[in-house]
Amino acid sequence: MTAATLLDLSFSALADPTRRAILRRLAQGETTVAELAKPFPISAPAISRHLRVLEAASLIRQEREGQFRRCRLDPAGLQTAAMWLDFYRGFWSESFDRLGEYLKTTQPVLTKRKARSHGKRKAAGH
Amino acid sequence: MASAKPPDIESDLVLVITKTFDAPRERVFDAWLDPDSIALWIGTRDIRAETLELTPHVGGRYRIHMRRTDGSSGPIVSGTYREIARPERLIFTWTWESGHPVAAGQDTLVTVTFAERSGRTEMTLKHEVFSSKDVRDRHKEGWTVSFEKMAERLAQA
């Protein structure tokens, strides 16, 4: 699976409030599927569907243990999403620092104000 | 592998960055849509961008080559303008065409808003993945797709 595919899957999985609640619960520690389903007012098959989506996005892992299924967080999916955010946070922060410098160095404000006070902006050229 | 840190899942879904500039809104806004201006500031400090294409109207495309200062090529980002409301808001799609280690081929959406703060400009950028159905449906593309489907159905009827 490519990083982009995994990322799409994890963002799509995270877009649902029930699935986010499941992840928050699992963040406190692994548990059985039955235990996990208790606080949610939805059917067992519905919970299973949510768990399958989370598993496909590498956000959780499920393991069969006798007659129980156990669930725990899988760092892979969350790490991919965190990597994405870190990358763009750095990209845009540095871009904005440079934009601030750019806005300081160029001084077209006066020209624009003058142009506006004369009504229409002139076409380019002298 | 590092341990998972999921507690902030709600806010971690979308990247939001705010910065205030000592310039009027129009100037900050125009820095995004002028081909020469944007090339001067977009990217990290190891990038010297080159605007390959920039058509500043809704539906128009841009392509920017993120050339590296060390002479190596660097990836190309491209997208389409969705909304241009000078000087309040700018919305465009953002996709790395290839060669990007983190996010190549992934469709994302950037929304930039410009608020006046006593002569200064507070700029807020929101960057999100929209190829997932849930996220995309909150945006115009969801409507566009719906309208296209509706038009197809009407044409078939």
Side-chain angles (χ1 to χ4, degrees), chain A residues 52-103:
Chain A
R52 276 200 300 276
V53 173
L54 289 167
E55 196 169 29
S58 300
L59 289 165
I60 66 159
R61 283 185 209 155
Q62 300 188 68
E63 276 153 29
R64 190 163 279 284
E65 209 173 80
Q67 60 191 85
F68 300 105
R69 269 189 302 150
R70 294 190 74 80
C71 262
R72 61 192 164 89
L73 287 180
D74 182 345
L78 289 163
Q79 227 190 358
T80 314
M83 214 167 70
W84 184 92
L85 286 159
D86 283 350
F87 164 72
Y88 277 117
R89 191 176 288 120
F91 181 89
W92 289 119
S93 302
E94 247 176 85
S95 294
F96 290 179
D97 290 347
R98 297 174 77 189
L99 175 57
E101 288 158 25
Y102 162 77
L103 291 168

Side-chain angles (χ1 to χ4, degrees), chain A residues 108-120:
Chain A
V109 186
L110 203 72
T111 337
K112 273 194 181 167
R113 256 183 215 148
K114 212 189 270 173
R116 219 174 283 142
S117 69
H118 288 307
K120 267 187 279 179

Side-chain angles (χ1 to χ4, degrees), chain A residues 7 79-95, chain B residues 15 17 43-44 46-47 66 68 75 77 94-96 99-104 106 108 127:
Chain A
L7 209 50
Q79 227 190 358
T80 314
M83 214 167 70
W84 184 92
L85 286 159
D86 283 350
F87 164 72
Y88 277 117
R89 191 176 288 120
F91 181 89
W92 289 119
S93 302
E94 247 176 85
S95 294
Chain B
L15 174 70
I17 298 182
T44 42
D46 58 342
I47 286 170
M66 300 290 175
R68 298 193 200 289
V77 68
W94 173 282
T95 305
W96 295 100
H100 199 276
V102 181
Q106 183 198 45
T108 63
H127 197 152

